[in-house]
Amino acid sequence: MRTRRALTAVLLALAVTAPVGCAQSVDPIERLGKKAAERVAPRDASQDAPHDGATDGQGGGRGEDRQPYRRWGLAAPLASPPAPAAPLSGSPGPDGTSAGRAAALPPVVDHVTTRDPVVFLTYDDGAERDPRFVDMVRELRLPVSMFLTDSVVGPGYGHFARLRSVGASLQNHTLDHAALRGLPYAGQRAEICGQQQKLHARFGLRPRLFRPPYGRYDTTTLRAAADCGITALVLWRASMGPADLTYTHGPHRLRPGDIVAVDPDEMLGPTLRERTTRLLRRIQEEGLTVGRLEDYL
């Protein structure tokens, strides 16, 4: 009798404890709690999109693949730029030589005289190395010009090799980002020619275009640049900053032939991709598109 009672007690104990494991085999979202649920629940794609409607260019369905401009925050595709006219007499030819002006100093430009509805996108230094910007340039076929400083790029030249492979051009922005104006000829020449040599060693190219750091230069800069094989000093008439476009002179709107500098990222500002998207929208609003600067200089 005592044995039967003991057996009954054991069975009752098992009956009480057995459902515990099953009770935990419920929806894992409920069991993990709200905070953990957020980690495993599917994310809303809109939460991952950068500001201003630009996305990261990754993923997407077949419809998005056919319309990449939507993935980068544009309402319509960029218009194709027209074929530029042949270089004017005395302007640098496609091989970088200048007929009839071998001894002349290179021109300083912030605007190209053209009737083509194009503006030109330029980027300085080389500090920003977002791989999604490479995707953006490739998918939108943006003919951007990157002015590189060796001490800023550092070990990041591989990123710019990828940009070059998708259509970007690489140009000269000195070795160390020194303010050139007022420096002796030897110092300026070392900064400019030194970066020419770096880019030639890494990419097999000798840039024709040069942007002086901070936009500051003097006649000595022009002499040194010419001796380093530079055919034009490139400044900018408009600049895309954290908030909006600013202009160095002239009307406060984009005009055909404007050279635009897209400022580097700031700690709390929009990313380079977001600034580029904002700028592309403004370009489209003005009935313009993006041209390749090297085709016009």
Side-chain angles (χ1 to χ4, degrees):
M1 190 70 177
R2 291 180 181 176
T3 301
R4 183 178 299 176
R5 289 178 181 175
L7 179 61
T8 301
V10 169
L11 291 175
L12 287 174
L14 290 174
V16 170
T17 59
V20 173
C22 296
Q24 291 182 342
S25 300
V26 296
D27 189 335
I29 301 298
E30 179 181 344
R31 180 169 10 113
L32 292 173
K34 182 178 180 181
K35 192 167 185 179
E38 291 175 352
R39 296 176 182 170
V40 300
R43 292 179 63 88
D44 182 351
S46 63
Q47 294 176 351
D48 291 330
H51 302 303
D52 293 334
T55 68
D56 63 6
Q58 298 176 345
R62 292 183 178 180
E64 287 183 340
D65 290 340
R66 290 194 298 267
Q67 298 178 330
Y69 62 90
R70 294 188 183 277
R71 191 155 54 248
W72 299 107
L74 302 180
L78 285 168
S80 299
L88 298 176
S89 175
S91 296
D95 60 352
T97 61
S98 301
R101 52 182 292 181
L105 298 180
V108 180
V109 297
D110 62 8
H111 177 91
V112 173
T113 301
T114 181
R115 294 182 179 179
D116 294 343
V118 296
V119 296
F120 308 103
L121 272 57
T122 64
Y123 300 78
D124 289 354
D125 303 341
E128 309 306 328
R129 295 190 283 273
D130 182 356
R132 290 172 294 180
F133 182 68
V134 180
D135 296 333
M136 185 181 202
V137 170
R138 174 177 53 83
E139 294 187 11
L140 297 180
R141 299 182 181 181
L142 291 177
V144 298
S145 301
M146 316 297 294
F147 289 84
L148 302 182
T149 295
D150 182 68
S151 63
V152 177
V153 176
Y157 275 106
H159 171 78
F160 295 97
R162 290 186 288 275
L163 269 173
R164 186 177 181 230
S165 73
V166 298
S169 75
L170 307 183
Q171 304 296 343
N172 191 326
H173 197 44
T174 71
L175 277 176
D176 298 309
H177 210 270
L180 298 180
R181 188 170 62 195
L183 293 181
Y185 171 83
Q188 297 204 37
R189 190 180 190 280
E191 282 285 339
I192 301 170
C193 287
Q195 183 64 344
Q196 291 287 86
Q197 294 165 3
K198 287 278 188 179
L199 293 174
H200 182 262
R202 290 184 177 274
F203 302 107
L205 58 87
R206 295 189 187 277
R208 295 187 294 109
L209 306 182
F210 170 66
R211 173 168 285 166
Y214 316 106
R216 300 173 185 171
Y217 66 96
D218 54 20
T219 304
T220 303
T221 311
L222 301 179
R223 287 176 48 221
D227 291 345
C228 295
I230 297 298
T231 57
L233 260 69
V234 179
L235 304 182
W236 58 93
R237 196 187 80 83
S239 176
M240 188 69 196
D244 202 355
L245 280 166
T246 58
Y247 300 86
T248 59
H249 62 87
H252 284 203
R253 61 180 178 81
L254 291 174
R255 300 180 299 172
D258 277 345
I259 297 172
V260 185
V262 183
D263 290 348
D265 284 3
E266 295 182 2
M267 291 297 293
L268 301 178
T271 67
L272 202 65
R273 286 177 290 113
E274 291 166 345
R275 295 186 193 200
T276 301
T277 294
R278 290 182 181 182
L279 176 57
L280 293 175
R281 290 173 182 167
R282 294 289 294 274
I283 289 169
Q284 290 181 315
E285 289 170 3
E286 297 291 343
L288 302 170
T289 191
V290 182
R292 182 177 176 84
L293 181 61
E294 294 73 14
D295 291 341
Y296 288 80
L297 292 177

